[in-house]
Amino acid sequence: MSPFERAPATLGVVAISYNEEEDLPGFLANLIGWVDEIIIVDDGSTDRTEEICAAAGGNVRFLRSPRKPGEYYSDQRNKGIDAAASDWLLHMDIDERVSRELAGEIRDAIRNEQMDGYRFRRLNHFMHRPMHGGGWQDWNLIHLARRDLFRFGGMFHETCHLDAPAQRVGQLSGKMIHFNEHNFEKRLKKSSTYLEETVKHVEESKRQIRGWQILWAPVKEFLKKYFYKKGFLDGTPGLISALHSATAVFRAYALVWDRQNRISRAELERQVSWAAADRNG
């Protein structure tokens, strides 16, 4: 290479993990051979996740770093950014796969010196099927960016912070394939984890929750996901998805109402207590 030529940009992948032995082999096979490094930030897996990474070769780095109190998924992803060395980083989940079309675009995109980051869309799956409506199609975030300009924020659904002007952010047309959970039971368990984030959004409005809101908010969510976002296009999974979103909103509003109107045990004891004089009546 001529001393006047710029070295080609390098590409790394950062992902976070927890007990991923089933999805991890497919994740690595999808990437090894065309990316320069893979950083796995692990939340304390107890299965074969670390063993699989160790057997994958020198381009795969496994960082065991269980979250401390007050740390969220965004903190895990930022640890991966700090550990990486590549010029560009593609941020993924272990249950995601780069489509052939997206991989080709990424290889070309990181050569463009006029750009600092790119958005791309997901082909999300729910109950083992690709979803085309219901809001699943809306995901379009900056998950490919120059390493030194990008950070994550937020709790479980991370926000993207790219230190660059809007004109230096591009849009890719290829889609990231996202499998999501293996079954609906796991989706329900994950929703319990995400509940506190939804509750936080409700509480930030600083409104006193009324009974009619506990009814209307989930109805509104269902109507939005099933009709406005065209969840009906996805058949029965689309119906289940819209109802699931509605019940999640119901639980959040009910929980906030309970926090705002909770009666202490001491108060309940006072309400039901009766004096000795009454007992001896």
Side-chain angles (χ1 to χ4, degrees):
M1 183 174 61
S2 165
F4 301 104
E5 292 181 20
R6 186 185 297 271
T10 53
L11 173 65
V13 172
V14 171
I16 60 178
S17 67
Y18 179 72
N19 288 346
E20 305 286 358
E21 64 179 7
E22 184 172 359
D23 280 334
L24 189 55
F27 171 83
L28 295 173
N30 180 243
L31 298 171
I32 291 176
W34 69 276
V35 303
D36 297 290
E37 66 174 338
I38 301 172
I39 309 294
I40 307 292
V41 182
D42 189 75
D43 202 16
S45 292
T46 57
D47 64 355
R48 296 178 56 251
T49 294
E50 184 172 5
E51 177 185 339
I52 294 169
C53 288
N59 287 346
V60 179
R61 294 177 58 195
F62 180 88
L63 304 179
R64 178 176 290 274
S65 183
R67 281 178 294 148
K68 300 173 183 177
E71 287 188 335
Y72 296 100
Y73 295 156
S74 57
D75 298 288
Q76 297 295 88
R77 295 195 186 278
N78 289 335
K79 293 174 188 177
I81 294 174
D82 294 337
S86 298
D87 301 314
W88 286 77
L89 293 178
L90 173 64
H91 298 277
M92 296 179 61
D93 292 335
I94 302 296
D95 60 355
E96 288 184 322
R97 305 292 179 264
V98 183
S99 66
R100 185 185 301 272
E101 297 76 16
L102 182 59
E105 282 189 278
I106 290 172
R107 282 192 287 260
D108 292 336
I110 64 175
R111 298 191 186 104
N112 189 341
E113 297 182 7
Q114 305 303 312
M115 307 301 287
D116 292 322
Y118 294 89
R119 291 184 173 85
F120 56 82
R121 295 187 180 277
R122 281 171 167 170
L123 178 58
N124 280 298
H125 286 61
F126 176 72
M127 303 187 83
H128 329 294
R129 294 161 178 83
M131 303 295 282
H132 303 285
W136 292 98
Q137 73 278 27
D138 292 344
W139 193 99
N140 188 29
L141 300 179
I142 305 170
H143 271 211
L144 173 66
R146 295 187 187 274
R147 171 178 51 83
D148 57 346
L149 298 178
F150 193 77
R151 303 298 285 181
F152 282 95
M155 297 173 66
F156 301 108
H157 293 96
E158 306 93 323
T159 54
C160 310
H161 303 289
L162 180 63
D163 186 16
Q167 62 267 27
R168 292 184 65 89
V169 179
Q171 175 71 57
L172 303 180
S173 58
K175 290 185 178 181
M176 179 73 73
I177 300 166
H178 190 203
F179 293 148
N180 274 302
E181 302 79 22
H182 295 79
N183 52 57
F184 190 57
E185 181 180 358
K186 289 190 176 181
R187 166 59 61 165
L188 292 175
K189 291 179 179 178
K190 182 183 288 187
S191 293
S192 296
T193 302
Y194 292 163
L195 178 61
E196 187 58 36
E197 186 174 23
T198 307
V199 167
K200 181 182 177 182
H201 290 318
V202 176
E203 288 183 327
E204 284 176 348
S205 69
K206 301 188 183 302
R207 297 176 298 170
Q208 188 70 27
I209 300 302
R210 308 297 182 187
W212 66 268
Q213 292 173 304
I214 298 173
L215 173 63
W216 172 240
V219 170
K220 180 182 177 181
E221 178 72 6
F222 175 79
L223 294 174
K224 181 180 75 172
K225 292 293 180 67
Y226 193 67
F227 292 105
Y228 180 70
K229 294 291 185 179
K230 299 183 179 180
F232 58 83
L233 294 175
D234 295 310
T236 300
L239 175 63
I240 294 173
S241 176
L243 287 169
H244 176 64
S245 294
T247 56
V249 171
F250 161 73
R251 287 184 294 137
Y253 272 77
L255 197 154
V256 173
W257 184 92
D258 178 59
R259 290 180 179 179
Q260 293 176 344
N261 297 275
R262 189 166 298 167
I263 300 175
S264 69
R265 269 291 192 268
E267 174 59 19
L268 290 176
E269 292 284 7
R270 189 195 64 79
Q271 291 178 8
V272 303
S273 64
W274 42 291
D278 295 332
R279 299 175 201 163
N280 297 329

mmCIF file of all heavy atoms in Angstrom, residues 232-250:
data_model
loop_
_atom_site.group_PDB
_atom_site.id
_atom_site.type_symbol
_atom_site.label_atom_id
_atom_site.label_comp_id
_atom_site.label_asym_id
_atom_site.label_seq_id
_atom_site.Cartn_x
_atom_site.Cartn_y
_atom_site.Cartn_z
ATOM 1 N N PHE A 232 -53.056 -6.331 11.877
ATOM 2 C CA PHE A 232 -53.949 -7.335 11.290
ATOM 3 C C PHE A 232 -53.314 -8.010 10.077
ATOM 4 O O PHE A 232 -53.725 -9.117 9.685
ATOM 5 C CB PHE A 232 -55.291 -6.706 10.906
ATOM 6 C CG PHE A 232 -55.184 -5.562 9.937
ATOM 7 C CD1 PHE A 232 -55.092 -5.780 8.570
ATOM 8 C CD2 PHE A 232 -55.197 -4.246 10.391
ATOM 9 C CE1 PHE A 232 -55.008 -4.723 7.671
ATOM 10 C CE2 PHE A 232 -55.103 -3.182 9.500
ATOM 11 C CZ PHE A 232 -55.005 -3.420 8.144
ATOM 12 N N LEU A 233 -52.297 -7.384 9.475
ATOM 13 C CA LEU A 233 -51.627 -7.998 8.327
ATOM 14 C C LEU A 233 -50.897 -9.280 8.705
ATOM 15 O O LEU A 233 -50.624 -10.119 7.843
ATOM 16 C CB LEU A 233 -50.622 -7.014 7.720
ATOM 17 C CG LEU A 233 -51.195 -5.747 7.075
ATOM 18 C CD1 LEU A 233 -50.054 -4.836 6.625
ATOM 19 C CD2 LEU A 233 -52.089 -6.108 5.891
ATOM 20 N N ASP A 234 -50.582 -9.444 9.980
ATOM 21 C CA ASP A 234 -49.803 -10.592 10.437
ATOM 22 C C ASP A 234 -50.655 -11.701 11.032
ATOM 23 O O ASP A 234 -50.132 -12.589 11.717
ATOM 24 C CB ASP A 234 -48.754 -10.129 11.457
ATOM 25 C CG ASP A 234 -47.723 -9.211 10.828
ATOM 26 O OD1 ASP A 234 -47.178 -9.570 9.771
ATOM 27 O OD2 ASP A 234 -47.466 -8.135 11.395
ATOM 28 N N GLY A 235 -51.957 -11.679 10.784
ATOM 29 C CA GLY A 235 -52.827 -12.767 11.206
ATOM 30 C C GLY A 235 -52.895 -12.924 12.717
ATOM 31 O O GLY A 235 -52.858 -11.938 13.475
ATOM 32 N N THR A 236 -52.963 -14.178 13.173
ATOM 33 C CA THR A 236 -53.085 -14.447 14.604
ATOM 34 C C THR A 236 -51.900 -13.911 15.403
ATOM 35 O O THR A 236 -52.105 -13.314 16.474
ATOM 36 C CB THR A 236 -53.249 -15.955 14.845
ATOM 37 O OG1 THR A 236 -54.433 -16.413 14.180
ATOM 38 C CG2 THR A 236 -53.373 -16.258 16.335
ATOM 39 N N PRO A 237 -50.650 -14.072 14.947
ATOM 40 C CA PRO A 237 -49.548 -13.465 15.707
ATOM 41 C C PRO A 237 -49.692 -11.946 15.846
ATOM 42 O O PRO A 237 -49.326 -11.385 16.878
ATOM 43 C CB PRO A 237 -48.306 -13.829 14.882
ATOM 44 C CG PRO A 237 -48.679 -15.090 14.180
ATOM 45 C CD PRO A 237 -50.139 -14.922 13.853
ATOM 46 N N GLY A 238 -50.237 -11.291 14.825
ATOM 47 C CA GLY A 238 -50.458 -9.856 14.917
ATOM 48 C C GLY A 238 -51.485 -9.502 15.977
ATOM 49 O O GLY A 238 -51.344 -8.498 16.690
ATOM 50 N N LEU A 239 -52.532 -10.314 16.078
ATOM 51 C CA LEU A 239 -53.554 -10.107 17.112
ATOM 52 C C LEU A 239 -52.960 -10.323 18.495
ATOM 53 O O LEU A 239 -53.172 -9.515 19.409
ATOM 54 C CB LEU A 239 -54.719 -11.062 16.878
ATOM 55 C CG LEU A 239 -55.826 -11.059 17.941
ATOM 56 C CD1 LEU A 239 -56.503 -9.699 18.008
ATOM 57 C CD2 LEU A 239 -56.845 -12.157 17.655
ATOM 58 N N ILE A 240 -52.207 -11.408 18.659
ATOM 59 C CA ILE A 240 -51.596 -11.699 19.956
ATOM 60 C C ILE A 240 -50.626 -10.597 20.348
ATOM 61 O O ILE A 240 -50.583 -10.162 21.510
ATOM 62 C CB ILE A 240 -50.880 -13.068 19.920
ATOM 63 C CG1 ILE A 240 -51.908 -14.186 19.728
ATOM 64 C CG2 ILE A 240 -50.076 -13.293 21.197
ATOM 65 C CD1 ILE A 240 -51.283 -15.551 19.508
ATOM 66 N N SER A 241 -49.847 -10.121 19.395
ATOM 67 C CA SER A 241 -48.882 -9.062 19.672
ATOM 68 C C SER A 241 -49.568 -7.781 20.146
ATOM 69 O O SER A 241 -49.134 -7.145 21.105
ATOM 70 C CB SER A 241 -48.046 -8.774 18.421
ATOM 71 O OG SER A 241 -47.174 -7.695 18.628
ATOM 72 N N ALA A 242 -50.661 -7.404 19.475
ATOM 73 C CA ALA A 242 -51.375 -6.182 19.855
ATOM 74 C C ALA A 242 -51.997 -6.320 21.243
ATOM 75 O O ALA A 242 -51.949 -5.385 22.048
ATOM 76 C CB ALA A 242 -52.451 -5.865 18.818
ATOM 77 N N LEU A 243 -52.561 -7.478 21.521
ATOM 78 C CA LEU A 243 -53.148 -7.709 22.849
ATOM 79 C C LEU A 243 -52.062 -7.732 23.921
ATOM 80 O O LEU A 243 -52.259 -7.231 25.030
ATOM 81 C CB LEU A 243 -53.922 -9.026 22.851
ATOM 82 C CG LEU A 243 -55.253 -9.020 22.094
ATOM 83 C CD1 LEU A 243 -55.792 -10.445 21.943
ATOM 84 C CD2 LEU A 243 -56.279 -8.143 22.808
ATOM 85 N N HIS A 244 -50.917 -8.314 23.582
ATOM 86 C CA HIS A 244 -49.813 -8.360 24.539
ATOM 87 C C HIS A 244 -49.334 -6.948 24.880
ATOM 88 O O HIS A 244 -49.083 -6.627 26.047
ATOM 89 C CB HIS A 244 -48.672 -9.188 23.947
ATOM 90 C CG HIS A 244 -47.450 -9.219 24.810
ATOM 91 N ND1 HIS A 244 -47.429 -9.774 26.065
ATOM 92 C CD2 HIS A 244 -46.191 -8.739 24.601
ATOM 93 C CE1 HIS A 244 -46.233 -9.667 26.596
ATOM 94 N NE2 HIS A 244 -45.469 -9.023 25.730
ATOM 95 N N SER A 245 -49.212 -6.092 23.876
ATOM 96 C CA SER A 245 -48.811 -4.705 24.120
ATOM 97 C C SER A 245 -49.842 -3.984 24.982
ATOM 98 O O SER A 245 -49.491 -3.209 25.879
ATOM 99 C CB SER A 245 -48.643 -3.963 22.790
ATOM 100 O OG SER A 245 -47.574 -4.492 22.038
ATOM 101 N N ALA A 246 -51.116 -4.255 24.721
ATOM 102 C CA ALA A 246 -52.177 -3.610 25.494
ATOM 103 C C ALA A 246 -52.137 -4.033 26.955
ATOM 104 O O ALA A 246 -52.302 -3.203 27.861
ATOM 105 C CB ALA A 246 -53.533 -3.940 24.881
ATOM 106 N N THR A 247 -51.909 -5.325 27.201
ATOM 107 C CA THR A 247 -51.857 -5.792 28.594
ATOM 108 C C THR A 247 -50.631 -5.236 29.312
ATOM 109 O O THR A 247 -50.683 -4.977 30.518
ATOM 110 C CB THR A 247 -51.856 -7.324 28.660
ATOM 111 O OG1 THR A 247 -50.765 -7.850 27.879
ATOM 112 C CG2 THR A 247 -53.159 -7.894 28.121
ATOM 113 N N ALA A 248 -49.535 -5.034 28.583
ATOM 114 C CA ALA A 248 -48.345 -4.446 29.191
ATOM 115 C C ALA A 248 -48.637 -3.013 29.645
ATOM 116 O O ALA A 248 -48.205 -2.585 30.727
ATOM 117 C CB ALA A 248 -47.179 -4.470 28.207
ATOM 118 N N VAL A 249 -49.373 -2.266 28.819
ATOM 119 C CA VAL A 249 -49.746 -0.902 29.190
ATOM 120 C C VAL A 249 -50.686 -0.929 30.388
ATOM 121 O O VAL A 249 -50.556 -0.108 31.313
ATOM 122 C CB VAL A 249 -50.401 -0.184 27.996
ATOM 123 C CG1 VAL A 249 -50.999 1.152 28.430
ATOM 124 C CG2 VAL A 249 -49.384 0.034 26.888
ATOM 125 N N PHE A 250 -51.638 -1.864 30.395
ATOM 126 C CA PHE A 250 -52.543 -1.991 31.537
ATOM 127 C C PHE A 250 -51.769 -2.222 32.828
ATOM 128 O O PHE A 250 -52.000 -1.561 33.855
ATOM 129 C CB PHE A 250 -53.530 -3.136 31.326
ATOM 130 C CG PHE A 250 -54.169 -3.614 32.598
ATOM 131 C CD1 PHE A 250 -55.138 -2.850 33.233
ATOM 132 C CD2 PHE A 250 -53.763 -4.802 33.195
ATOM 133 C CE1 PHE A 250 -55.706 -3.269 34.436
ATOM 134 C CE2 PHE A 250 -54.326 -5.229 34.379
ATOM 135 C CZ PHE A 250 -55.302 -4.466 34.999
#
